[in-house]
Amino acid sequence: MPIDRKPEFFKGAQLKVGIIGCGYVGLPLALRFAEAGHKVTGFDTDPAKVSLLNSGKSYIEHIRQDKIQQFVNSRHFNATTDFERLKDVDAIVICVPTPLDERRDPDLSYVEQTAISIQPNLQRGQLVVLESTTYPGTTEELVLPILEKSGLRCPIAAGIASDNIPTDFFLAFSPEREDPGNKQYGLAQIPKVVGGTNPPSARAAQALYAQVVAKVVPVSSTRAAEMAKLLENIFRCVNIALVNELKLLASRMNIDIWEVIDAAATKPFGFMPFYPGPGLGGHCIPVDPFYLSWKAREYDFAARFIELAGEINTSMPGYVVQRTAAALNDEGKALKGSKIAVLGVAYKKDVDDPRESPAFTILEMLQKNGAVVSYNDPHIPTLPRMRHHPSLRLDSTPLTPEFLARQDCVLIVTDHSAFDYDAIVGHAKLVVDTRNATKKLGVKANVVKL
Ligand SMILES: NC(=O)c1ccc[n+]([C@@H]2O[C@H](COP(=O)([O-])OP(=O)(O)OC[C@H]3O[C@@H](n4cnc5c(N)ncnc54)[C@H](O)[C@@H]3O)[C@@H](O)[C@H]2O)c1
């Protein structure tokens, strides 16, 4: 008997939830649904991940193994590569990657492929939610037409007049706001924006998420929900570019930008501190804004803030290399032949995610200039193969006093808490600090703060 699912159905207990893409976003979400008592199946194209999950193992540092094991044991969570099993679930949540391609245009092939995998298995009354970050229009223009090839319909509609519009399945967009490693805000505490293709779809998705997050924030359409996520990330990208540019100016004016930001941040209203760095990293901030600037072209619109911020942020690794060369020059050394150890290759503090990390560009630039490079990252023992940096093949070198003393320069790119900055500055001849990580040590003759 086919299940007759109305939007209110998704308020129910023990729903069957399928999460497609068990990565940094999908896996925590799957575990959250399991924790709330639902029966969760994780779908992934990577058989290695599926087999690790089914044996209760984690491949993401901050996701606890015992949690996965607990839900596998209680049969609230299992994983599969068999997409036919999508037929059996009530709700399908898509958390697959949305990177940029070689030409830095949106690469929606993962989302498209996922929609193609769902289509032959789509059932009447199922709820499908896209969570992958993308440009406004993706859910309606890309996912919906593929799903409707099943013969089932989900009309695009808004407003009170369409409150009870007939729909064969429900389709919504709800952006993920995961901040890996953030101990203050986990998934359950972060409000979730939800937009439906039509009002019943919106209600179904709201009912589903209300079970696992503290607050659901409804918006009028999938496009508004898609744009909300991009606004959040563009806000960060532009503000980081602003402080990065001000850092370059402050440096010429012999002003410490870090001191300036700390001072400005004492204003209790109308200011939010952003910090300069060696360049943007992570799967979101360096990538997502360009989804919107790409889409803007369709409307004959140049998204200038996004392009300018991108230009400034992508120039930062070059600036770091140039300042490192200048610091070595002050010691009477050339970049060529100098031993340089990069500390931290993850894109941000205390995570094991190297995606888009500026450390890779910096390492490569240093290497091209003849430096003898090495790195240490307690979270990344071996550099993974990166699409844009295929020639970088290194293992993390232990930070012994002897190793530090042998280096001509130690370059802090990511300020992991595990680093003993006192010992690093104590043993190294020269330290270039791109993160103000050595702040607590005060002014040191061998530290150049960028
Ligand atoms: N990582 C974050 O902090 C973060 C935060 C907010 C939003 N997002 C967005 O969430 C989405 C997912 O990002 P992520 O960081 O979880 O990526 P990820 O690479 O960690 O995980 C994606 C998973 O999807 C799997 N996959 C790829 N193609 C598939 C397919 N066709 N079918 C099934 N599985 C497939 C991969 O094997 C992988 O396990 C992206 O759109 C990203 O922009 C990420």
Side-chain angles (χ1 to χ4, degrees):
M1 264 280 282
I3 306 169
D4 182 23
R5 301 180 191 90
K6 300 272 183 289
E8 296 65 40
F9 172 88
F10 296 93
K11 290 183 180 164
Q14 287 241 333
L15 296 178
K16 290 187 188 137
V17 182
I19 306 284
I20 306 187
C22 299
Y24 283 87
V25 166
L27 186 53
L29 186 66
L31 298 177
R32 178 72 196 114
F33 274 111
E35 192 175 49
H38 302 289
K39 296 277 187 187
V40 185
T41 305
F43 295 82
D44 206 291
T45 42
D46 183 343
K49 283 186 181 168
V50 166
S51 107
L52 281 169
L53 291 175
N54 284 331
S55 50
K57 299 218 166 69
S58 177
Y59 41 79
I60 297 177
E61 197 180 58
H62 66 275
I63 298 180
R64 279 178 24 217
Q65 192 134 304
D66 57 346
K67 222 172 163 187
I68 301 176
Q69 188 72 67
Q70 173 196 340
F71 296 128
V72 169
N73 290 349
S74 68
R75 296 184 179 277
H76 281 88
F77 178 67
N78 71 94
T80 183
T81 53
D82 177 7
F83 285 73
E84 269 202 40
R85 287 181 52 196
L86 284 170
K87 285 190 176 124
D88 304 327
V89 303
D90 303 308
I92 299 169
V93 185
I94 307 170
C95 308
V96 295
T98 44
L100 295 174
D101 67 14
E102 296 301 329
R103 298 174 59 234
R104 297 196 67 73
D105 286 339
D107 174 3
L108 281 170
S109 59
Y110 299 91
V111 173
E112 188 176 3
Q113 193 47 52
T114 301
I116 291 170
S117 319
I118 297 171
Q119 182 257 305
N121 301 303
L122 188 67
Q123 303 295 307
R124 194 171 285 276
Q126 275 183 329
L127 165 65
V128 179
V129 188
L130 178 62
E131 287 215 2
S132 303
T133 309
T134 183
Y135 58 74
T138 307
T139 310
E140 290 178 0
E141 295 163 14
L142 179 76
V143 177
L144 178 62
I146 297 174
L147 297 185
E148 286 195 333
K149 282 188 184 153
S150 62
L152 298 173
R153 295 279 168 264
C154 179
I156 298 170
I160 298 172
S162 346
D163 243 7
N164 291 311
I165 190 169
T167 186
D168 294 332
F169 63 97
F170 306 107
L171 178 61
F173 182 85
S174 178
E176 179 49 58
R177 284 170 158 169
E178 169 80 2
D179 182 15
N182 189 326
K183 294 191 174 69
Q184 195 182 356
Y185 293 106
L187 219 161
Q189 291 84 42
I190 304 172
K192 200 133 175 48
V193 173
V194 176
T197 302
N198 49 41
S201 294
R203 289 201 302 279
Q206 287 163 30
L208 178 76
Y209 285 115
Q211 305 213 33
V212 290
V213 299
K215 189 176 176 196
V216 171
V217 183
V219 291
S220 64
S221 63
T222 54
R223 299 154 71 86
E226 289 159 337
M227 184 88 163
K229 172 71 187 181
L230 291 184
L231 171 60
E232 292 166 18
N233 284 355
I234 291 163
F235 173 78
R236 284 189 64 73
C237 176
V238 166
N239 279 290
I240 292 168
L242 176 66
V243 287
N244 275 335
E245 187 176 64
L246 291 180
K247 171 172 93 165
L248 305 188
L249 174 63
S251 159
R252 285 195 195 186
M253 297 172 82
N254 206 17
I255 296 170
D256 181 346
I257 190 70
W258 300 92
E259 184 189 3
V260 171
I261 296 167
D262 285 349
T266 59
K267 186 180 176 186
F269 48 86
F271 184 82
M272 182 184 283
F274 284 86
Y275 298 96
L280 288 185
H283 187 47
C284 299
I285 313 294
V287 172
D288 303 345
F290 298 101
Y291 268 67
L292 190 61
S293 56
W294 178 86
K295 187 69 175 171
R297 279 181 241 146
E298 198 179 302
Y299 295 82
D300 201 15
F301 188 95
R304 287 176 294 165
F305 266 106
I306 297 174
E307 296 298 345
L308 178 60
E311 211 176 286
I312 294 171
N313 289 329
T314 50
S315 73
M316 295 316 289
Y319 173 76
V320 170
V321 171
Q322 181 199 326
R323 290 290 306 270
T324 304
L328 283 164
N329 188 54
D330 287 345
E331 304 290 315
K333 293 175 183 171
L335 204 50
K336 189 169 183 166
S338 284
K339 292 194 192 75
I340 302 180
V342 166
L343 300 197
V345 294
Y347 81 87
K348 71 168 185 177
K349 191 182 177 127
D350 299 343
V351 300
D352 63 348
D353 187 350
R355 286 179 295 178
E356 308 287 331
S357 170
F360 288 81
T361 310
I362 291 170
L363 278 165
E364 202 168 72
M365 281 180 164
L366 290 171
Q367 214 171 37
K368 278 194 178 137
N369 280 289
V372 181
V373 296
S374 57
Y375 88 96
N376 176 279
D377 192 312
H379 305 277
I380 302 179
T382 299
L383 289 189
R385 264 272 173 86
M386 303 294 272
R387 191 157 57 144
H388 301 297
H389 311 280
S391 61
L392 279 175
R393 311 295 298 274
L394 293 170
D395 293 326
S396 176
T397 311
L399 279 192
T400 60
E402 299 72 35
F403 170 76
L404 287 165
R406 270 202 310 275
Q407 303 307 305
D408 295 298
C409 177
V410 171
L411 173 56
I412 301 170
V413 171
T414 307
D415 51 341
H416 290 310
S417 311
F419 288 135
D420 179 348
Y421 295 105
D422 224 339
I424 291 163
V425 172
H427 294 293
K429 295 185 195 100
L430 169 67
V431 175
V432 174
D433 179 2
T434 69
R435 298 279 191 177
N436 204 20
T438 55
K439 179 182 174 182
K440 287 209 178 91
L441 309 182
V443 177
K444 294 278 178 188
N446 64 336
V447 177
V448 175
K449 205 162 68 165
L450 302 190

